[in-house]
Amino acid sequence: MSVHFDRQERILMTGGRGRSVAPRELAADPENWPDAVIPDHPQARVVQAIARSLARHVDQEGLGLRRVAALSGVNRQAIANLLAGDSWPDVATLSRLEDGLGIGLYPGSSGPGSRHC
């Protein structure tokens, strides 16, 4: 038996098939990522805020993706996908980026989440 989920159902599902739609595709204007308005998907807005924070830090520090990858242990392509809004970062990726860069990326965090554990 096969179960079919339409696009809207996939967008609303957490994890699994819900991740088949990239965060940037949930924006009103995907080409304006990470500054586009995302009206109806709070989780995509969190990813967007993380991408903006990461991009700002990379820019301010003059870091390339290879350097960020070396500091964090996160694959360069995974970092590029996060910045472009093409992927949903998992907890391990976010934690490694925060620890490697010594900053908080999750909205409202004052530093790497692992410092609070």
Side-chain angles (χ1 to χ4, degrees):
M1 180 169 131
S2 176
V3 177
H4 173 75
F5 296 99
D6 68 21
R7 176 174 158 70
Q8 189 59 33
E9 288 171 324
R10 286 194 324 258
I11 290 170
L12 296 174
M13 294 176 75
T14 301
R17 293 185 60 106
R19 293 180 179 214
S20 66
V21 177
R24 74 179 284 131
E25 296 305 320
L26 298 169
D29 178 14
E31 296 305 313
N32 198 26
W33 179 270
D35 298 313
V37 173
I38 303 176
D40 299 324
H41 204 291
Q43 294 75 31
R45 288 194 301 269
V46 170
V47 174
Q48 183 182 45
I50 291 167
R52 274 195 306 258
S53 293
L54 179 57
R56 185 173 39 250
H57 181 77
V58 165
D59 211 33
Q60 287 173 347
E61 299 298 318
L63 300 171
L65 295 184
R66 284 191 174 109
R67 182 68 180 141
V68 174
L71 291 169
S72 65
V74 174
N75 177 284
R76 184 178 54 85
Q77 188 61 53
I79 298 165
N81 290 344
L82 169 57
L83 289 169
D86 291 334
S87 67
W88 296 88
D90 61 21
V91 173
T93 298
L94 180 58
S95 181
R96 286 179 177 179
L97 285 167
E98 287 186 335
D99 287 340
L101 298 172
I103 61 169
L105 294 171
Y106 197 87
S109 65
S110 59
S114 64
R115 291 186 186 164
H116 305 285
C117 301

